[in-house]
Amino acid sequence: MAVKTVLPFGPQHPVLPEAIQLRITLEDENIGQVLPALGYIHRGIEKAGEKNDYPLNVYLVERICGICSATHGLAYCMAVEKLLGIEPPPRANYLRVVWTELHRLHSHLLWLGLLADAFGFESLFMQIWRIREMVMDVLEKTAGNRVIISVNTLGGVRRDMTDEQIEETLNTLAECERQLNAILPVILEDYTVKKRTVGKGVLTAEQALRLGAVGPTLRASGVAQDVRMTGYAAYGELNFQPVVEQAGDSYARAVVRARECFQTIDLIRQALQRLPEGDIQNKPRGNPNGKAIARVEAPRGELMYFVVGNGTKNLERMRVRTPTLANVPTLLEMLPGAEFADVPVITLSIDPCISCTER
Amino acid sequence: MPKMLPTVVGNLVSKPATRPHPYKRREAFVRARGRIIFDISRCIFCGACALRCPADAIRVNRAERELVFEPFRCIVCGACVDGCRRGCAQMIAQYHSPAYTKPEEYYRAPVEVKEEDQL
Amino acid sequence: MGEAHVQHRELPDIENVEVVEKQHLLPRVQQLAARGMRFITTTCIDNGEQFEVYYHFDHHLELTHLLVTIDKNEALPSITPVYFSAFVAENEMKDLFGLRVDGLNVDYQGRMLVSEEVPAPPMRKKEASERRNGDGS
């Protein structure tokens, strides 16, 4: 007769990078049912967004999450620009693309390092983060900060890039690409790593669409959906295709993120080579009124902002739908049937970012 | 194992990747965000910086011609620097060093800068 | 001060919004699910007297929305029988607005995000009489 135990996994656990609690019902090492318990990081950001003036909300919204902070700022600026009826100039659109893609690169490198750490492979974790340090130095030299880069503003961007900064960025990216090519086979072609990720946490394409998964979690199951194909900012003029894998297990999700690193470096090169001349900001005027929706591809998936203005300088409602909010229910279907030792790896493979989830 | 070997050997023979901070400090990059300082000789006490601050770190008293700035509430966003029309609020690249108490900085016209410790 | 240059433009609004009644909500959502729509999220807006609840869906990167308007003490049917992952968004509406949702598959009883010490749902607008009495929040 199997013995049933209910085990709380999290919110503090050596392998779990985020503060989420999963109540797992175990029957002798096999998982029966999983219930998530959220609420450890709820800060009430949607309520604070109604009390601030609308230009100050840009600084509030960037601090929802550290790893995808530039994309939150970009989505808020795009939504409020629709309410005010202004559009950023072309040079600002290209610079927004460059900084968003640099942010995506640092986020994927962070995740690859955490994956290596989840297996206990700490030296590889440190090596991948050494490559990430080069990207952080580029961000600090061009935008001013390492983590919360704060370059988006209503109507454009706040800083410009000089020609020698562009050249320095391109040289750093070439070095990153060379080092990534040298270090990625260690994690993606290793026998032990494959034994722990291939076939674990399988999500079919039909399940992924029905549960509402987004981002690399969806693309690793064979569905080619990427919000960048709608052509916001300057993406409509760049040349790229979504990165898709067919297997749907944790290994496929790791491969999708690794291939997206190379796609990102290529996108930044295209954008920097086509950078047009001009100003970097169109000043906003007036108060926001009406309703607007903006969607952006954050490193973890689709990020949606729905803002409602009422003609005063405060917004009426600011609704944020973050990608991990859509990916957490997939855990409830991936985990039952797996073994308990696979839970950290499967939870990490959807790339949880709980501070985004419970703003 | 053979795939990681070139990296391991390379790490053994090259110099360390870290720097012995605080004995050797790195110079701040030119456009990095460090801290905010005020050049009070140019200030007209209009209060535009205080209106734009998202962290409420600046208080401007026009009647007594005084500006109070709390550097440990500041998030170094630069909104005050963008909004100041006289070039009084400036951002420098070196960050504020850590401290045991949270001082407030009082700037009074004409030109004197006085720092007083307040808990 | 430049008023001559201000054009009278229409208020920006979102497209593809369909207004449904509360009793037609579940059949309409089932029709959308049969067409392969992906569920994004729900949004609740408190406009003083009533709640306006939006349901956002996506099909190959095109958005569709449903809008239900109900009174503050009515209950909405849950769409979790059709879309299993909607329980996160609907529990959040229960916690923050006090909106009653019936038939949830995973129900946190209003305590998913908000702890027991919080007396009232935080994001509801205060009634007009309370606002006049000086409670400025």
Side-chain angles (χ1 to χ4, degrees):
Chain A
M1 195 187 72
V3 177
K4 277 198 191 182
T5 340
V6 176
L7 206 73
F9 180 71
Q12 284 148 339
H13 193 272
V15 194
L16 194 62
E18 302 278 335
I20 183 176
Q21 184 180 59
L22 298 170
R23 298 213 188 108
I24 304 182
T25 311
L26 286 176
E27 293 182 25
D28 275 355
E29 287 277 340
N30 288 325
I31 299 180
Q33 195 200 26
V34 175
L35 266 184
L38 307 170
Y40 289 96
I41 317 224
H42 181 68
R43 292 160 287 172
I45 296 219
E46 293 189 356
K47 178 86 180 171
E50 293 173 19
K51 295 195 171 193
N52 276 339
D53 304 344
Y54 75 93
L56 297 184
N57 266 335
V58 183
Y59 305 110
L60 173 72
V61 149
E62 279 164 354
R63 283 155 175 83
I64 293 182
C65 173
I67 336 180
C68 34
S69 106
T71 40
H72 279 277
L74 174 64
Y76 178 78
C77 288
M78 276 167 56
V80 177
E81 281 163 10
K82 281 190 200 171
L83 290 186
L84 295 170
I86 58 178
E87 267 200 29
R91 189 179 172 93
N93 272 331
Y94 274 83
L95 284 174
R96 278 180 173 178
V97 166
V98 170
W99 273 312
T100 307
E101 291 299 316
L102 275 172
H103 221 73
R104 188 189 313 273
L105 183 61
H106 112 80
S107 168
H108 283 329
L109 285 174
L110 188 151
W111 182 83
L112 281 170
L114 286 183
L115 181 71
D117 188 46
F119 301 132
F121 199 166
E122 279 199 32
S123 359
L124 185 63
F125 167 47
M126 293 299 167
Q127 281 299 126
I128 295 183
W129 278 43
R130 271 173 87 165
I131 307 177
R132 184 177 166 255
E133 275 301 302
M134 294 195 280
V135 178
M136 304 308 266
D137 276 347
V138 164
L139 280 173
E140 192 172 7
K141 284 179 191 161
T142 53
N145 263 339
R146 286 163 58 101
V147 177
I148 300 201
I149 59 181
S150 194
V151 282
N152 287 310
T153 187
L154 293 166
V157 291
R158 292 169 75 187
R159 292 190 177 207
D160 206 347
M161 276 176 96
T162 63
D163 287 331
E164 58 242 359
Q165 280 177 345
I166 294 178
E167 196 174 315
E168 204 176 340
T169 310
L170 288 170
N171 290 341
T172 313
L173 286 177
E175 177 68 21
C176 279
E177 204 177 15
R178 194 187 62 82
Q179 291 195 8
L180 267 180
N181 273 324
I183 203 90
L184 274 180
V186 179
I187 196 169
L188 292 179
E189 294 172 20
D190 190 76
Y191 171 72
T192 323
V193 170
K194 278 193 180 175
K195 204 87 162 82
R196 285 199 70 174
T197 47
V198 172
K200 311 279 190 206
V202 180
L203 199 66
T204 61
E206 178 263 326
Q207 269 178 320
L209 276 174
R210 186 174 41 87
L211 289 170
V214 287
T217 314
L218 181 66
R219 292 199 281 280
S221 300
V223 182
Q225 261 194 24
D226 189 336
V227 184
R228 293 178 283 178
M229 308 303 282
T230 55
Y232 62 89
Y235 283 108
E237 300 157 31
L238 299 176
N239 197 3
F240 66 102
Q241 292 294 323
V243 174
V244 177
E245 289 280 320
Q246 302 293 330
D249 53 13
S250 311
Y251 185 70
R253 293 191 269 270
V255 171
V256 163
R257 290 192 181 102
R259 281 171 56 190
E260 278 194 359
C261 286
F262 294 108
Q263 184 196 47
T264 301
I265 295 181
D266 182 51
L267 271 173
I268 303 178
R269 280 198 192 121
Q270 283 184 39
L272 283 178
Q273 275 154 10
R274 295 195 207 178
L275 201 59
E277 304 291 329
D279 334 310
I280 53 175
Q281 192 191 3
N282 280 338
K283 292 255 179 214
R285 221 165 307 183
N287 281 334
N289 209 345
K291 303 190 175 87
I293 289 191
R295 290 199 290 171
V296 157
E297 177 85 5
R300 282 154 186 76
E302 168 204 46
L303 177 65
M304 183 188 95
Y305 266 68
F306 177 34
V307 291
V308 178
N310 56 4
T312 64
K313 63 179 169 53
N314 291 13
L315 283 178
E316 169 96 14
R317 178 87 169 99
M318 177 178 89
R319 168 82 174 135
V320 181
R321 201 298 305 250
T322 52
T324 309
L325 201 65
N327 281 336
V328 161
T330 60
L331 278 181
L332 274 67
E333 290 216 358
M334 279 201 276
L335 286 179
E339 295 179 344
F340 187 58
D342 293 327
V343 171
V345 174
I346 298 178
T347 312
L348 199 67
S349 74
I350 63 167
D351 208 354
C353 178
I354 300 297
S355 43
C356 270
T357 309
E358 319 162 11
R359 353 118 233 131
Chain B
M1 170 69 180
K3 297 195 180 82
M4 187 76 171
L5 206 51
T7 318
V8 173
V9 171
N11 283 347
L12 278 175
V13 301
S14 58
K15 62 182 175 73
T18 51
R19 174 185 304 120
H21 186 87
Y23 306 110
K24 263 200 206 169
R25 289 174 194 255
R26 181 195 72 174
E27 269 201 34
F29 295 132
V30 171
R31 299 176 74 193
R33 286 186 211 191
R35 53 186 276 210
I36 306 281
I37 56 170
F38 290 91
D39 181 6
I40 207 69
S41 58
R42 303 197 202 182
C43 184
I44 55 169
F45 301 95
C46 65
C49 52
L51 265 178
R52 285 160 183 258
C53 179
D56 289 334
I58 309 180
R59 288 196 303 271
V60 172
N61 197 330
R62 191 174 204 161
E64 300 175 27
R65 296 178 66 79
E66 176 188 71
L67 189 149
V68 182
F69 172 61
E70 298 177 65
F72 281 92
R73 283 189 87 139
C74 173
I75 59 175
V76 202
C77 62
C80 51
V81 177
D82 290 341
C84 178
R85 286 172 298 217
R86 310 270 301 188
C88 164
Q90 296 160 15
M91 179 158 7
I92 59 175
Q94 183 56 43
Y95 53 84
H96 200 291
S97 32
Y100 287 101
T101 58
K102 289 193 188 178
E104 290 182 344
E105 294 178 6
Y106 288 84
Y107 296 86
R108 287 195 183 94
V111 198
E112 232 91 54
V113 164
K114 234 189 317 177
E115 254 190 59
E116 289 177 17
D117 260 72
Q118 293 239 343
L119 263 170
Chain C
M1 201 197 83
E3 243 106 46
H5 298 286
V6 171
Q7 295 119 318
H8 212 67
R9 65 183 173 97
E10 300 180 359
L11 279 188
D13 204 346
I14 49 182
E15 306 163 342
N16 280 345
V17 181
E18 188 190 316
V19 182
V20 290
E21 300 289 319
K22 187 173 78 160
Q23 52 270 27
H24 301 311
L25 177 66
L26 259 184
R28 190 77 187 99
V29 170
Q30 265 160 354
Q31 286 173 5
L32 290 179
R35 281 184 15 212
M37 294 248 171
R38 173 170 64 93
F39 173 69
I40 298 184
T41 194
T42 67
T43 306
C44 183
I45 304 182
D46 182 350
N47 64 1
E49 284 110 48
Q50 294 180 309
F51 285 139
E52 294 176 20
V53 184
Y54 283 86
Y55 290 81
H56 309 282
F57 297 90
D58 167 277
H59 186 65
H60 290 313
L61 299 180
E62 279 183 26
L63 287 168
T64 320
H65 314 276
L66 298 179
L67 169 57
V68 179
T69 312
I70 60 168
D71 283 333
K72 293 200 177 180
N73 46 5
E74 279 183 46
L76 262 187
S78 158
I79 67 171
T80 46
V82 185
Y83 283 107
F84 174 73
S85 54
F87 72 91
V88 186
E90 292 186 338
N91 268 301
E92 188 186 333
M93 284 200 299
K94 269 182 92 156
D95 289 357
L96 296 177
F97 284 92
L99 171 71
R100 277 177 37 212
V101 181
D102 294 333
L104 276 168
N105 55 355
V106 180
D107 197 345
Y108 290 91
Q109 317 280 347
R111 292 287 166 231
M112 180 171 92
L113 292 179
V114 172
S115 74
E116 273 99 19
E117 286 101 21
V118 176
M123 286 193 69
R124 271 200 194 195
K125 297 260 159 72
K126 294 274 167 66
E127 303 297 330
S129 59
E130 277 183 49
R131 246 179 292 167
R132 246 181 283 131
N133 289 343
D135 187 18
S137 54

